[in-house]
Amino acid sequence: MGNNHWLVKSEPFKYSWEKFLKDKKTFWDGVRNYQARNNLRTMQKGDQVFFYHSNEGLEIVGIAEVVKEAYQDPTIDDERWVAVDLKPVTTLKAPVSLAQIKAEKRLQDLGLIRQGRLSVSPVTAKEWEVILELSEQNATESKSAPKAAPAFSKVAKKTSAVSKAKQETTKSANSKVKAK
DNA sequence: GCCAACGTTGGC
DNA sequence: GCCAACGTTGGC
């Protein structure tokens, strides 16, 4: 079982996190870049993967997990390219924006920053933690901005025990804020 | 829509 | 194997 971390990008128009949640599983195909391909090949079952919305959104919205390691990309008749299978694990309580990542000193070496065009990049354990931390921070701060609650919560169930407790706390501490 | 940053291609 | 030209991606 893998214990590595990654980040994949998708244009929401093409394939959004929301769609991914509905699908419950997808094959990550269409990668036509050697470096990205090599990363796909390195992925192991169980690896955790940030899901980033490029072009529109520009933020990390959720976490996926590798459920099937690299195999021949079914969408092309060319042995060079591979796909992996991913399933959604959880929607981040609050997305982490590119701007935020850029502003975070500890994330300056993140693949997303260093090589913006790469669609599949590695994330170190430390970077992973920092990003989760930022998400937590966003979730906490957004109590004054009631747009934080994501519309798609199906898969977020897994973490809902935790997040619910937090939301309750937030709510009672801030009962003036109405859920929209 | 523009442009920077890369990647790829092909001539030599 | 170098490098110019071109194509693509993606942030702004």
Side-chain angles (χ1 to χ4, degrees):
Chain A
M1 282 285 263
N3 197 22
N4 292 317
H5 302 99
W6 308 93
L7 181 146
V8 297
K9 300 199 292 193
S10 182
E11 303 183 26
F13 287 131
K14 198 180 150 214
Y15 194 80
S16 69
W17 176 251
E18 195 171 7
K19 176 80 171 18
F20 187 31
L21 288 181
K22 276 183 199 148
D23 290 351
K24 303 218 169 72
K25 178 182 168 176
T26 193
F27 51 88
W28 207 257
D29 65 315
V31 170
R32 300 291 180 265
N33 168 288
Y34 288 109
Q35 212 177 334
R37 190 275 314 267
N38 292 342
N39 288 332
L40 281 185
R41 276 188 177 163
T42 312
M43 284 186 185
Q44 292 181 300
K45 211 172 165 183
D47 282 357
Q48 302 285 105
V49 184
F50 279 134
F51 192 108
Y52 173 81
H53 274 162
S54 63
N55 266 319
E56 187 86 357
L58 307 187
E59 56 194 13
I60 296 171
V61 289
I63 297 173
E65 181 182 323
V66 178
V67 289
K68 187 176 178 191
E69 296 175 11
Y71 56 95
Q72 160 81 47
D73 187 338
T75 65
I76 191 174
D77 185 25
D78 185 332
E79 290 181 347
R80 290 178 300 170
W81 308 116
V82 300
V84 299
D85 285 356
L86 299 179
K87 72 164 187 204
V89 174
T90 188
T91 301
L92 290 184
K93 268 173 272 173
V96 177
S97 71
L98 179 63
Q100 220 180 341
I101 291 168
K102 281 187 168 169
E104 171 56 57
K105 288 176 214 84
R106 290 171 293 172
L107 294 176
Q108 291 314 295
D109 279 337
L110 190 66
L112 183 68
I113 302 297
R114 283 206 352 252
Q115 232 182 320
R117 295 180 49 208
L118 197 57
S119 58
V120 182
S121 55
V123 176
T124 67
K126 202 173 270 178
E127 289 163 345
W128 184 268
E129 289 306 319
V130 172
I131 290 167
L132 289 182
E133 198 182 295
L134 290 180
S135 176
E136 285 290 337
Q137 222 170 284
N138 288 346
T140 308
E141 280 165 11
S142 65
K143 62 187 171 190
S144 50
K147 79 171 229 180
F152 24 92
S153 54
K154 245 185 211 166
V155 181
K157 266 189 190 141
K158 266 194 183 167
T159 45
S160 64
V162 181
S163 50
K164 232 178 224 157
K166 257 205 182 135
Q167 275 162 24
E168 290 307 316
T169 313
T170 305
K171 222 183 254 169
S172 49
N174 207 6
S175 51
K176 266 173 257 172
V177 178
K178 272 209 180 101
K180 199 196 147 188

